[in-house]
Amino acid sequence: MDNQTQAAILQVYAAWAGVLVTLFGFLVITFQLRVSAKASRTQNASTFMLGEHKERLLNDASEALGQLFQFGSRKQMPMETARKIMADEPTARKLSAVLNYYENVAAGVNCGVHDEQYVRLAGSRSFRIRFWENANYIAAVRESNRNPNLWIELERLCEKWDRWSNASPHFFENGQVVVGVPFEELRVPSEQERWKPRLKPRRSNSWLLSRQNRLGRSETAVLASPDSSGQLQSATQSAALHKRKTQSSDSPS
């Protein structure tokens, strides 16, 4: 083997080595970026979850509500009490501020700003029971403002986590929050459900909603979640039926 051949082989080896080094560097940078993004989302979530802002809002709302309603009492606010609170503007403002806090965190989770795994482990039950406790107040405010999208991000996140939960009582049934049922009578997971594998929860379907609906500017919203309505399922079935008809017509007789 002459010197020119050896030099050509070495050049090929050097070129491949350069490609491998570049690829390895790209993988390292990608991994670092993913780790950094994960840490950033976790930091954002912990700032919201562990800050003093949440406790201050809860304390202010508890003082304003007085004997009307108590947070953490495992009791659902009656509709009559909800309408009394709405009639008292200062009290309603403080209660709405608490729900707005949970709404902001839920919107951050649904949009990928906050780390969902961290928020779910830290407050899944707290989020769901808070929405269940104030379900009648939320319904009354939505009706009064003619806006069904108020606190919709919180509702969507709580419904998803409730559907995935296999330990605590279920606060949602068939995609709707349970109303008028005492805490002690809420459906609890069966033994078979308790021991089912803990799969990763499904991603939020908020991207299926228009930006106008997600911002709450529309008076009507179509929730495109698999369990909320049959529209998504019927559309899929129609597409499958059309595909079968097309295949049968194209096949030779």
Side-chain angles (χ1 to χ4, degrees):
M1 183 180 298
D2 55 8
N3 294 334
Q4 292 182 350
T5 304
Q6 292 180 354
I9 294 175
L10 291 177
Q11 289 178 356
V12 173
Y13 285 160
W16 275 106
V19 171
L20 293 176
V21 169
T22 303
L23 181 60
F24 179 76
F26 175 78
L27 293 176
V28 170
I29 293 175
T30 303
F31 177 76
Q32 290 178 344
L33 290 176
R34 289 176 63 90
V35 171
S36 177
K38 173 78 172 180
S40 177
R41 291 195 300 269
T42 304
Q43 179 63 32
N44 292 336
S46 63
T47 301
F48 268 87
M49 297 291 292
L50 302 179
E52 298 180 356
H53 182 61
K54 173 185 175 182
E55 297 299 328
R56 184 169 64 253
L57 290 175
L58 290 174
N59 291 335
D60 292 344
S62 297
E63 293 178 1
L65 291 172
Q67 300 297 325
L68 290 175
F69 183 72
Q70 294 182 352
F71 287 120
S73 60
R74 295 185 176 182
K75 294 181 180 180
Q76 194 171 56
M77 180 187 297
M79 180 60 74
E80 181 181 358
T81 303
R83 298 194 184 279
K84 289 182 180 180
I85 295 174
M86 288 182 59
D88 185 0
E89 184 177 352
T91 303
R93 188 183 302 114
K94 292 184 178 181
L95 177 56
S96 296
V98 174
L99 295 174
N100 289 340
Y101 160 81
Y102 285 98
E103 172 75 0
N104 291 333
V105 178
V109 171
N110 293 337
C111 295
V113 177
H114 302 323
D115 184 65
E116 180 174 3
Q117 183 179 8
Y118 175 86
V119 178
R120 178 174 55 80
L121 293 176
S124 171
R125 181 183 174 91
S126 172
F127 274 62
R128 291 183 291 126
I129 197 171
R130 192 73 68 230
F131 189 89
W132 174 79
E133 286 178 344
N134 298 276
N136 285 320
Y137 176 78
I138 293 173
V141 174
R142 287 176 174 177
E143 180 183 358
S144 175
N145 290 272
R146 297 184 179 181
N147 188 350
N149 289 329
L150 294 175
W151 300 298
I152 192 65
E153 297 293 340
L154 174 61
E155 181 179 11
R156 185 178 298 112
L157 187 65
C158 290
E159 192 277 330
K160 182 177 70 170
W161 285 351
D162 190 84
R163 181 174 5 103
W164 187 73
S165 175
N166 61 359
S168 62
H170 288 289
F171 302 97
F172 288 76
E173 292 291 344
N174 299 322
Q176 301 293 329
V177 64
V178 178
V179 178
V181 179
F183 179 85
E184 295 76 12
E185 298 180 10
L186 291 173
R187 185 177 67 86
V188 296
S190 62
E191 288 297 324
Q192 184 178 1
E193 290 177 320
R194 289 178 183 271
W195 291 101
K196 69 181 180 180
R198 282 183 171 271
L199 302 178
K200 184 178 180 180
R202 286 179 286 184
R203 293 177 61 88
S204 172
N205 291 322
S206 59
W207 63 273
L208 293 175
L209 296 172
S210 66
R211 184 173 184 271
Q212 183 181 14
N213 283 344
R214 283 191 284 110
L215 292 177
R217 296 176 182 174
S218 174
E219 294 185 1
T220 59
V222 179
L223 302 183
S225 60
D227 298 326
S228 60
S229 67
Q231 296 180 356
L232 189 62
Q233 183 179 2
S234 61
T236 305
Q237 293 175 350
S238 300
L241 180 60
H242 176 72
K243 183 177 180 181
R244 289 197 299 269
K245 289 182 179 179
T246 304
Q247 291 177 349
S248 61
S249 61
D250 294 340
S251 60
S253 57

